[in-house]
Amino acid sequence: MKISNILLLFIMLAVVESITGPQREVVSIYNNEFLTPLSRPQYFIEVYRCVKVDIGECSSSGPSGYPVPETIEKIEIVVPDTTNKDRDSRGRASSDKNKFYEYVVYNHTSCKCGTLTFRDSTLYKIITNNEVSEGHYKTKYRKNPINLIHRCHSQVCNPQPRHSLTDKHILAAPQSKYLAYQQCLPGSVALKKPRNDNVSINMISGGEEVVNVLNDISCKAYDGENAENAQR
């Protein structure tokens, strides 16, 4: 086989993998809704999540017909309490120590078919008490993944890839359970109105339905202007 043909085959396989394997997505380290809890810094990272499966890959189109991870890896992030500076400025009492926290986000590295309940359990690790010592924070913070909000503060932001479960996911075929869309990071400004796109999804019945998806087109770091357009 010629080298050119081998390269072409490799590219084709890579494209297939990128379509049906874990897909790039930007998420908050705290939850899947892009929300930031009180007294925590905004923190958004890049992960890969199972949202696509090959047609016919799932033996069931019922409760076990969702794309779920077969293998995962942990991403650990430590953050300070945003009120630490206020505590320092007014003078801390000996019992009023600075606070630090650790969060764990799961990255999907390969996919299979399974239940929605199982998939939801593989997005974030539930930690009853995630407060850590200052020493633990200082040891781990240099290993934190890049916080994409910092890139947004220093340059024009790009809309970030996101995925949402379609409202009709129970009736949707396994390959159409999730919809891809683009969203500006919270705290940034959408420069234009979101674009309305019509997307066809495959149904278990064999037919198709058209759903509407909103996509942000362009964003910029929030500079105090156009406050009405700032993403929350």
Side-chain angles (χ1 to χ4, degrees):
M1 184 180 292
K2 294 182 179 180
I3 294 178
S4 59
N5 291 337
I6 294 175
L7 290 174
L8 179 59
L9 178 61
F10 177 81
I11 292 172
M12 291 173 64
L13 290 173
V15 169
V16 170
E17 182 178 359
S18 69
I19 293 174
T20 59
Q23 301 291 296
R24 178 178 175 268
E25 183 169 16
V26 171
V27 301
S28 164
I29 67 168
Y30 308 109
N31 52 62
N32 211 39
E33 285 74 44
F34 250 25
L35 301 176
T36 300
L38 293 175
S39 77
R40 304 292 190 275
Q42 287 187 316
Y43 209 121
F44 303 96
I45 63 172
E46 177 182 291
V47 297
Y48 282 80
R49 293 275 169 82
C50 293
V51 294
K52 294 284 186 182
V53 291
D54 282 325
I55 296 175
E57 183 176 343
C58 295
S59 58
S60 169
S61 57
S64 297
Y66 290 80
V68 304
E70 184 169 21
T71 55
I72 60 176
E73 61 183 13
K74 292 195 303 183
I75 303 175
E76 298 176 339
I77 309 100
V78 289
V79 297
D81 193 302
T82 56
T83 64
N84 285 349
K85 292 182 179 179
D86 296 335
R87 198 175 289 112
D88 287 337
S89 64
R90 67 173 182 263
R92 281 183 292 154
S94 58
S95 60
D96 192 17
K97 63 179 181 178
N98 282 336
K99 296 180 179 181
F100 304 88
Y101 309 93
E102 183 171 66
Y103 292 87
V104 176
V105 181
Y106 290 120
N107 192 55
H108 298 174
T109 53
S110 64
C111 304
K112 63 178 182 178
C113 298
T115 66
L116 181 59
T117 300
F118 174 73
R119 185 186 186 278
D120 287 344
S121 71
T122 64
L123 304 180
Y124 299 88
K125 182 177 181 179
I126 298 176
I127 305 174
T128 304
N129 180 12
N130 63 342
E131 187 171 345
V132 297
S133 68
E134 185 169 0
H136 181 86
Y137 169 78
K138 289 181 177 179
T139 300
K140 300 288 288 287
Y141 85 94
R142 294 185 184 279
K143 298 180 181 179
N144 278 355
I146 295 173
N147 185 355
L148 298 178
I149 199 71
H150 294 156
R151 290 182 176 177
C152 190
H153 286 166
S154 61
Q155 61 188 25
V156 173
C157 311
N158 292 319
Q160 300 299 323
R162 302 272 289 153
H163 295 90
S164 65
L165 194 64
T166 177
D167 291 340
K168 300 182 179 181
H169 63 91
I170 295 176
L171 300 176
Q175 67 272 20
S176 295
K177 298 289 190 185
Y178 288 87
L179 297 172
Y181 65 100
Q182 299 284 321
Q183 182 179 357
C184 294
L185 287 176
S188 63
V189 176
L191 297 177
K192 299 179 181 179
K193 290 183 178 180
R195 185 183 65 226
N196 283 291
D197 292 328
N198 291 324
V199 178
S200 295
I201 61 174
N202 298 314
M203 310 304 289
I204 295 174
S205 62
E208 290 187 351
E209 288 202 21
V210 176
V211 296
N212 183 259
V213 178
L214 289 177
N215 284 291
D216 284 330
I217 302 171
S218 60
C219 326
K220 73 170 183 177
Y222 177 56
D223 58 6
E225 299 179 359
N226 301 318
E228 70 276 9
N229 293 327
Q231 299 292 306
R232 301 300 179 189

Short mmCIF file of all heavy atoms in Angstrom, two decimals, residues 88-130:
data_model
loop_
_atom_site.label_atom_id
_atom_site.label_comp_id
_atom_site.label_asym_id
_atom_site.label_seq_id
_atom_site.Cartn_x
_atom_site.Cartn_y
_atom_site.Cartn_z
N ASP A 88 -8.22 38.54 54.99
CA ASP A 88 -6.87 39.02 55.24
C ASP A 88 -6.84 40.53 55.47
O ASP A 88 -6.10 41.04 56.31
CB ASP A 88 -5.95 38.67 54.06
CG ASP A 88 -5.63 37.19 54.01
OD1 ASP A 88 -5.72 36.53 55.06
OD2 ASP A 88 -5.30 36.70 52.92
N SER A 89 -7.67 41.27 54.71
CA SER A 89 -7.63 42.73 54.78
C SER A 89 -8.13 43.27 56.12
O SER A 89 -7.70 44.31 56.58
CB SER A 89 -8.46 43.34 53.64
OG SER A 89 -9.83 42.99 53.78
N ARG A 90 -9.04 42.54 56.74
CA ARG A 90 -9.58 43.03 58.01
C ARG A 90 -8.87 42.41 59.21
O ARG A 90 -9.19 42.72 60.36
CB ARG A 90 -11.08 42.75 58.09
CG ARG A 90 -11.47 41.29 58.15
CD ARG A 90 -12.98 41.15 58.41
NE ARG A 90 -13.38 39.77 58.53
CZ ARG A 90 -13.88 39.04 57.54
NH1 ARG A 90 -14.05 39.60 56.35
NH2 ARG A 90 -14.22 37.78 57.74
N GLY A 91 -7.91 41.54 58.93
CA GLY A 91 -7.15 40.92 60.01
C GLY A 91 -7.85 39.69 60.52
O GLY A 91 -8.95 39.76 61.06
N ARG A 92 -7.23 38.56 60.32
CA ARG A 92 -7.86 37.31 60.69
C ARG A 92 -7.68 36.98 62.16
O ARG A 92 -6.60 37.18 62.72
CB ARG A 92 -7.28 36.16 59.86
CG ARG A 92 -7.81 36.04 58.47
CD ARG A 92 -7.21 34.84 57.77
NE ARG A 92 -5.79 35.01 57.51
CZ ARG A 92 -4.92 34.02 57.38
NH1 ARG A 92 -5.31 32.79 57.54
NH2 ARG A 92 -3.66 34.26 57.10
N ALA A 93 -8.74 36.48 62.77
CA ALA A 93 -8.61 35.91 64.11
C ALA A 93 -7.93 34.55 63.97
O ALA A 93 -7.93 33.95 62.89
CB ALA A 93 -9.98 35.76 64.75
N SER A 94 -7.36 34.06 65.02
CA SER A 94 -6.63 32.79 64.96
C SER A 94 -7.54 31.64 64.52
O SER A 94 -7.08 30.67 63.92
CB SER A 94 -6.02 32.46 66.33
OG SER A 94 -7.05 32.41 67.31
N SER A 95 -8.84 31.78 64.80
CA SER A 95 -9.78 30.72 64.43
C SER A 95 -10.40 30.94 63.05
O SER A 95 -11.13 30.09 62.55
CB SER A 95 -10.89 30.61 65.48
OG SER A 95 -11.58 31.85 65.57
N ASP A 96 -10.11 32.10 62.45
CA ASP A 96 -10.72 32.47 61.17
C ASP A 96 -9.72 32.25 60.05
O ASP A 96 -9.14 33.19 59.51
CB ASP A 96 -11.17 33.93 61.23
CG ASP A 96 -12.07 34.30 60.06
OD1 ASP A 96 -12.59 33.37 59.41
OD2 ASP A 96 -12.23 35.50 59.78
N LYS A 97 -9.49 31.02 59.68
CA LYS A 97 -8.46 30.68 58.71
C LYS A 97 -8.96 30.82 57.28
O LYS A 97 -10.16 30.79 57.01
CB LYS A 97 -7.97 29.25 58.94
CG LYS A 97 -9.05 28.21 58.72
CD LYS A 97 -8.50 26.80 58.94
CE LYS A 97 -9.59 25.75 58.68
NZ LYS A 97 -9.07 24.37 58.85
N ASN A 98 -8.01 30.99 56.35
CA ASN A 98 -8.37 30.99 54.93
C ASN A 98 -8.88 29.61 54.53
O ASN A 98 -8.49 28.59 55.11
CB ASN A 98 -7.16 31.36 54.07
CG ASN A 98 -6.89 32.85 54.08
OD1 ASN A 98 -7.79 33.65 54.33
ND2 ASN A 98 -5.65 33.23 53.81
N LYS A 99 -9.75 29.60 53.51
CA LYS A 99 -10.37 28.35 53.09
C LYS A 99 -9.99 28.00 51.66
O LYS A 99 -9.83 28.89 50.82
CB LYS A 99 -11.90 28.46 53.22
CG LYS A 99 -12.38 28.66 54.64
CD LYS A 99 -13.90 28.76 54.70
CE LYS A 99 -14.38 28.93 56.13
NZ LYS A 99 -15.86 29.01 56.21
N PHE A 100 -9.86 26.71 51.42
CA PHE A 100 -9.50 26.20 50.10
C PHE A 100 -10.31 24.93 49.84
O PHE A 100 -10.70 24.22 50.77
CB PHE A 100 -8.00 25.90 50.03
CG PHE A 100 -7.14 27.08 50.38
CD1 PHE A 100 -6.78 27.32 51.70
CD2 PHE A 100 -6.71 27.95 49.40
CE1 PHE A 100 -6.00 28.42 52.03
CE2 PHE A 100 -5.93 29.05 49.72
CZ PHE A 100 -5.57 29.29 51.03
N TYR A 101 -10.53 24.65 48.54
CA TYR A 101 -11.41 23.54 48.18
C TYR A 101 -10.83 22.74 47.02
O TYR A 101 -10.06 23.25 46.20
CB TYR A 101 -12.79 24.06 47.79
CG TYR A 101 -13.39 25.00 48.80
CD1 TYR A 101 -13.22 26.38 48.67
CD2 TYR A 101 -14.11 24.52 49.89
CE1 TYR A 101 -13.75 27.26 49.61
CE2 TYR A 101 -14.65 25.39 50.83
CZ TYR A 101 -14.46 26.76 50.68
OH TYR A 101 -14.99 27.62 51.61
N GLU A 102 -11.23 21.47 46.95
CA GLU A 102 -10.82 20.61 45.84
C GLU A 102 -12.06 20.08 45.14
O GLU A 102 -13.03 19.66 45.78
CB GLU A 102 -9.97 19.45 46.34
CG GLU A 102 -9.47 18.55 45.21
CD GLU A 102 -8.45 17.54 45.70
OE1 GLU A 102 -8.85 16.65 46.50
OE2 GLU A 102 -7.28 17.63 45.31
N TYR A 103 -12.01 20.10 43.80
CA TYR A 103 -13.10 19.57 42.98
C TYR A 103 -12.54 18.54 42.01
O TYR A 103 -11.37 18.63 41.60
CB TYR A 103 -13.79 20.70 42.21
CG TYR A 103 -14.54 21.65 43.11
CD1 TYR A 103 -13.89 22.75 43.69
CD2 TYR A 103 -15.88 21.45 43.41
CE1 TYR A 103 -14.57 23.61 44.55
CE2 TYR A 103 -16.57 22.31 44.25
CZ TYR A 103 -15.90 23.39 44.82
OH TYR A 103 -16.57 24.23 45.67
N VAL A 104 -13.37 17.58 41.65
CA VAL A 104 -12.95 16.52 40.72
C VAL A 104 -13.95 16.45 39.57
O VAL A 104 -15.15 16.28 39.78
CB VAL A 104 -12.86 15.15 41.42
CG1 VAL A 104 -12.51 14.06 40.39
CG2 VAL A 104 -11.81 15.19 42.53
N VAL A 105 -13.43 16.61 38.36
CA VAL A 105 -14.22 16.50 37.14
C VAL A 105 -13.74 15.26 36.39
O VAL A 105 -12.54 14.99 36.33
CB VAL A 105 -14.06 17.75 36.25
CG1 VAL A 105 -14.92 17.64 35.00
CG2 VAL A 105 -14.41 19.01 37.03
N TYR A 106 -14.66 14.51 35.81
CA TYR A 106 -14.28 13.31 35.07
C TYR A 106 -14.16 13.61 33.58
O TYR A 106 -15.00 14.30 33.00
CB TYR A 106 -15.31 12.20 35.27
CG TYR A 106 -15.31 11.62 36.67
CD1 TYR A 106 -16.45 11.68 37.46
CD2 TYR A 106 -14.17 11.02 37.20
CE1 TYR A 106 -16.46 11.15 38.75
CE2 TYR A 106 -14.16 10.49 38.48
CZ TYR A 106 -15.31 10.56 39.25
OH TYR A 106 -15.31 10.04 40.52
N ASN A 107 -13.11 13.08 33.00
CA ASN A 107 -12.88 13.18 31.56
C ASN A 107 -13.16 11.81 30.95
O ASN A 107 -12.64 10.79 31.42
CB ASN A 107 -11.42 13.59 31.30
CG ASN A 107 -11.17 13.98 29.87
OD1 ASN A 107 -11.84 14.85 29.32
ND2 ASN A 107 -10.19 13.35 29.24
N HIS A 108 -14.00 11.76 29.92
CA HIS A 108 -14.33 10.49 29.28
C HIS A 108 -13.27 10.17 28.22
O HIS A 108 -12.97 11.01 27.37
CB HIS A 108 -15.70 10.56 28.62
CG HIS A 108 -16.82 10.81 29.60
ND1 HIS A 108 -18.13 11.03 29.20
CD2 HIS A 108 -16.82 10.87 30.96
CE1 HIS A 108 -18.88 11.20 30.28
NE2 HIS A 108 -18.12 11.12 31.35
N THR A 109 -12.73 8.97 28.27
CA THR A 109 -11.67 8.60 27.33
C THR A 109 -12.10 7.55 26.31
O THR A 109 -11.43 7.37 25.30
CB THR A 109 -10.43 8.10 28.10
OG1 THR A 109 -10.83 7.06 29.01
CG2 THR A 109 -9.81 9.24 28.91
N SER A 110 -13.19 6.85 26.57
CA SER A 110 -13.78 5.94 25.57
C SER A 110 -15.25 5.77 25.92
O SER A 110 -15.66 6.04 27.05
CB SER A 110 -13.06 4.59 25.55
OG SER A 110 -13.21 3.91 26.79
N CYS A 111 -16.03 5.34 24.94
CA CYS A 111 -17.48 5.33 25.12
C CYS A 111 -18.10 3.96 24.85
O CYS A 111 -17.52 3.12 24.16
CB CYS A 111 -18.13 6.36 24.18
SG CYS A 111 -17.49 8.05 24.36
N LYS A 112 -19.29 3.77 25.40
CA LYS A 112 -20.12 2.60 25.15
C LYS A 112 -21.57 3.03 25.33
O LYS A 112 -21.85 4.23 25.46
CB LYS A 112 -19.76 1.46 26.11
CG LYS A 112 -20.02 1.80 27.57
CD LYS A 112 -19.70 0.63 28.48
CE LYS A 112 -20.02 0.97 29.95
NZ LYS A 112 -19.74 -0.18 30.85
N CYS A 113 -22.49 2.10 25.36
CA CYS A 113 -23.90 2.42 25.58
C CYS A 113 -24.29 2.06 27.01
O CYS A 113 -23.80 1.07 27.57
CB CYS A 113 -24.78 1.66 24.60
SG CYS A 113 -24.46 2.09 22.88
N GLY A 114 -25.15 2.86 27.60
CA GLY A 114 -25.57 2.62 28.98
C GLY A 114 -26.74 3.50 29.34
O GLY A 114 -27.41 4.07 28.48
N THR A 115 -26.97 3.66 30.64
CA THR A 115 -28.13 4.42 31.11
C THR A 115 -27.75 5.88 31.37
O THR A 115 -26.60 6.21 31.64
CB THR A 115 -28.69 3.83 32.41
OG1 THR A 115 -27.71 3.98 33.46
CG2 THR A 115 -29.03 2.36 32.23
N LEU A 116 -28.76 6.73 31.31
CA LEU A 116 -28.55 8.15 31.58
C LEU A 116 -28.13 8.37 33.03
O LEU A 116 -27.28 9.22 33.32
CB LEU A 116 -29.84 8.92 31.29
CG LEU A 116 -29.79 10.44 31.48
CD1 LEU A 116 -28.73 11.07 30.59
CD2 LEU A 116 -31.16 11.05 31.19
N THR A 117 -28.68 7.58 33.94
CA THR A 117 -28.31 7.70 35.36
C THR A 117 -26.82 7.43 35.55
O THR A 117 -26.14 8.15 36.28
CB THR A 117 -29.13 6.73 36.22
OG1 THR A 117 -30.52 7.03 36.07
CG2 THR A 117 -28.75 6.84 37.68
N PHE A 118 -26.32 6.40 34.87
CA PHE A 118 -24.90 6.09 34.98
C PHE A 118 -24.06 7.22 34.40
O PHE A 118 -23.06 7.63 34.99
CB PHE A 118 -24.57 4.78 34.25
CG PHE A 118 -23.10 4.48 34.20
CD1 PHE A 118 -22.42 4.07 35.33
CD2 PHE A 118 -22.38 4.66 33.02
CE1 PHE A 118 -21.04 3.82 35.30
CE2 PHE A 118 -21.01 4.41 32.97
CZ PHE A 118 -20.35 3.99 34.12
N ARG A 119 -24.47 7.76 33.25
CA ARG A 119 -23.69 8.83 32.63
C ARG A 119 -23.62 10.05 33.56
O ARG A 119 -22.57 10.66 33.72
CB ARG A 119 -24.29 9.24 31.29
CG ARG A 119 -23.45 10.28 30.55
CD ARG A 119 -24.13 10.77 29.29
NE ARG A 119 -23.26 11.66 28.53
CZ ARG A 119 -23.10 12.95 28.79
NH1 ARG A 119 -23.73 13.51 29.81
NH2 ARG A 119 -22.29 13.69 28.05
N ASP A 120 -24.75 10.40 34.17
CA ASP A 120 -24.77 11.56 35.06
C ASP A 120 -23.82 11.38 36.23
O ASP A 120 -23.29 12.37 36.76
CB ASP A 120 -26.19 11.80 35.59
CG ASP A 120 -27.11 12.37 34.52
OD1 ASP A 120 -26.61 12.86 33.48
OD2 ASP A 120 -28.35 12.33 34.71
N SER A 121 -23.58 10.14 36.63
CA SER A 121 -22.68 9.88 37.76
C SER A 121 -21.22 9.96 37.37
O SER A 121 -20.34 9.88 38.23
CB SER A 121 -22.98 8.50 38.36
OG SER A 121 -22.55 7.46 37.49
N THR A 122 -20.94 10.10 36.06
CA THR A 122 -19.55 10.13 35.59
C THR A 122 -19.14 11.51 35.09
O THR A 122 -18.21 11.63 34.29
CB THR A 122 -19.35 9.10 34.46
OG1 THR A 122 -20.16 9.49 33.33
CG2 THR A 122 -19.73 7.70 34.90
N LEU A 123 -19.83 12.56 35.55
CA LEU A 123 -19.47 13.91 35.16
C LEU A 123 -18.63 14.60 36.24
O LEU A 123 -17.59 15.19 35.96
CB LEU A 123 -20.73 14.73 34.87
CG LEU A 123 -21.69 14.16 33.82
CD1 LEU A 123 -22.89 15.08 33.65
CD2 LEU A 123 -20.99 13.93 32.50
N TYR A 124 -19.09 14.50 37.47
CA TYR A 124 -18.40 15.12 38.60
C TYR A 124 -18.38 14.14 39.77
O TYR A 124 -19.34 13.39 39.98
CB TYR A 124 -19.13 16.39 39.06
CG TYR A 124 -19.20 17.46 38.00
CD1 TYR A 124 -20.25 17.49 37.08
CD2 TYR A 124 -18.22 18.45 37.90
CE1 TYR A 124 -20.32 18.46 36.09
CE2 TYR A 124 -18.28 19.42 36.92
CZ TYR A 124 -19.33 19.42 36.02
OH TYR A 124 -19.39 20.38 35.04
N LYS A 125 -17.30 14.17 40.52
CA LYS A 125 -17.24 13.36 41.73
C LYS A 125 -17.95 14.11 42.85
O LYS A 125 -17.68 15.28 43.10
CB LYS A 125 -15.79 13.09 42.13
CG LYS A 125 -15.65 12.20 43.36
CD LYS A 125 -14.19 11.90 43.68
CE LYS A 125 -14.08 11.00 44.90
NZ LYS A 125 -12.66 10.67 45.21
N ILE A 126 -18.87 13.44 43.50
CA ILE A 126 -19.60 14.05 44.61
C ILE A 126 -18.77 13.92 45.88
O ILE A 126 -18.47 12.81 46.34
CB ILE A 126 -20.98 13.39 44.80
CG1 ILE A 126 -21.83 13.58 43.54
CG2 ILE A 126 -21.69 13.97 46.02
CD1 ILE A 126 -23.16 12.88 43.59
N ILE A 127 -18.37 15.07 46.43
CA ILE A 127 -17.55 15.09 47.64
C ILE A 127 -18.36 15.79 48.73
O ILE A 127 -18.74 16.95 48.59
CB ILE A 127 -16.22 15.84 47.40
CG1 ILE A 127 -15.47 15.23 46.21
CG2 ILE A 127 -15.36 15.81 48.65
CD1 ILE A 127 -14.22 15.99 45.82
N THR A 128 -18.62 15.09 49.81
CA THR A 128 -19.44 15.64 50.89
C THR A 128 -18.79 16.88 51.50
O THR A 128 -19.44 17.91 51.69
CB THR A 128 -19.68 14.59 51.98
OG1 THR A 128 -20.26 13.43 51.39
CG2 THR A 128 -20.61 15.14 53.06
N ASN A 129 -17.51 16.79 51.79
CA ASN A 129 -16.77 17.93 52.33
C ASN A 129 -15.50 18.10 51.52
O ASN A 129 -14.56 17.33 51.66
CB ASN A 129 -16.44 17.71 53.81
CG ASN A 129 -15.66 18.88 54.41
OD1 ASN A 129 -15.57 19.96 53.80
ND2 ASN A 129 -15.11 18.68 55.59
N ASN A 130 -15.49 19.11 50.64
CA ASN A 130 -14.34 19.26 49.74
C ASN A 130 -13.35 20.32 50.20
O ASN A 130 -12.48 20.74 49.44
CB ASN A 130 -14.81 19.57 48.32
CG ASN A 130 -15.56 20.89 48.23
OD1 ASN A 130 -16.02 21.42 49.23
ND2 ASN A 130 -15.68 21.42 47.02
#
